[in-house]
Amino acid sequence: MNKLSMRGLYSLTEWITKFAYLNFLWIGFSLLGLVLFGLSPATVAMFTVLRKWMMGQSDIPVFQTFRTAYKKEFLRSNGLGIILALFTGLIFTDLYYMKIDASHLLQLTHIPLYLIIFAIIMSLLYIFPLYVHYNVTFIQLFKNALFIMLINPINNIVMLLGVIAVYFVVKVIPGLLFFYGGSITAGIIMAGCYLSFQKIEKKQKGAQSI
């Protein structure tokens, strides 16, 4: 095995370890906040680390970066978590009542509602990446999430397929959920969103130079 192959294998092993470590931190800090108060700040911290990796900062101190983001964003991210919980509750409530009305599930009047629910779910995928990438208000955060989702259909499909793929892999090998369930899923979402952000920023710079 040549040096190039060895270097590639070492790099792959290193990233496998990093994602497992990041997943442990996410679980651990979520539990630290009793899940209810720890999940949102831990998720923000995880996306903060992933964003830095996407930007080429692969040698950052992961624990220190994670802990700093967790403490800094603890209160504000919990506010975001409450809003997301309300959105999730509304979606499940709508789906529940539509399930009760199963005899009319295929009615054309339900199609717009399904499309709205799908659009909301896809927009929510952009929330945490936007939160860690831009310093904006919650209103701007949700408006930008919807806008970016609408103008990036290909990225939406790639992210959705990636998340679905992780779901099926974890379903086949449940043990991977503990090691990679959160970090790999978040990594796929962050990668797709970061590409979208770069496209938008590139267009903005191009427009300003004209």
Side-chain angles (χ1 to χ4, degrees):
M1 188 177 293
N2 57 41
K3 290 183 179 179
L4 186 61
S5 298
M6 287 294 293
R7 193 180 298 117
L9 182 61
Y10 174 79
S11 180
L12 177 62
T13 304
E14 185 181 25
W15 281 109
I16 288 173
T17 304
K18 281 184 175 182
F19 271 89
Y21 181 49
L22 183 60
N23 204 69
F24 290 149
L25 289 177
W26 178 62
I27 294 172
F29 276 80
S30 293
L31 294 174
L32 185 64
L34 304 177
V35 180
L36 183 63
F37 300 108
L39 183 59
S40 288
T43 303
V44 166
M46 178 168 61
F47 274 98
T48 298
V49 173
L50 288 167
R51 173 180 175 268
K52 289 184 179 294
W53 285 349
M54 301 290 169
M55 296 175 71
Q57 302 176 36
S58 58
D59 57 346
I60 59 168
V62 176
F63 180 80
Q64 184 63 36
T65 303
F66 192 102
R67 185 179 64 176
T68 300
Y70 182 89
K71 292 170 64 178
K72 180 183 177 182
E73 300 296 337
F74 188 85
L75 292 177
R76 188 167 186 262
S77 62
N78 269 301
L80 176 62
I82 292 171
I83 297 172
L84 293 177
L86 291 174
F87 269 110
T88 304
L90 287 172
I91 290 172
F92 277 104
T93 300
D94 286 337
L95 292 175
Y96 175 76
Y97 282 108
M98 291 173 73
K99 185 178 180 180
I100 290 177
D101 192 21
S103 60
H104 300 97
L105 276 177
L106 298 179
Q107 283 189 357
L108 292 177
T109 54
H110 282 179
I111 293 177
L113 185 56
Y114 277 122
L115 291 175
I116 292 171
I117 291 174
F118 180 75
I120 292 173
I121 292 172
M122 291 307 303
S123 297
L124 293 180
L125 293 181
Y126 286 85
I127 293 298
F128 282 106
L130 275 167
Y131 184 98
V132 301
H133 196 69
Y134 297 108
N135 183 22
V136 294
T137 65
F138 284 165
I139 293 176
Q140 291 173 317
L141 186 67
F142 284 91
K143 285 172 60 178
N144 291 347
L146 178 60
F147 172 72
I148 296 173
M149 181 276 296
L150 290 173
I151 65 173
N152 289 282
I154 296 177
N155 279 5
N156 296 340
I157 294 171
V158 172
M159 284 194 295
L160 190 60
L161 290 176
V163 172
I164 292 172
V166 172
Y167 169 78
F168 280 109
V169 170
V170 168
K171 192 174 181 180
V172 175
I173 313 174
L176 291 179
L177 181 65
F178 181 71
F179 292 95
Y180 299 104
S183 60
I184 293 294
T185 302
I188 292 169
I189 294 171
M190 188 69 228
C193 291
Y194 187 66
L195 287 174
S196 299
F197 301 160
Q198 285 186 310
K199 288 178 183 178
I200 293 171
E201 290 167 8
K202 187 176 181 181
K203 288 180 181 178
Q204 289 176 338
K205 289 179 181 178
Q208 290 173 358
S209 62
I210 295 175

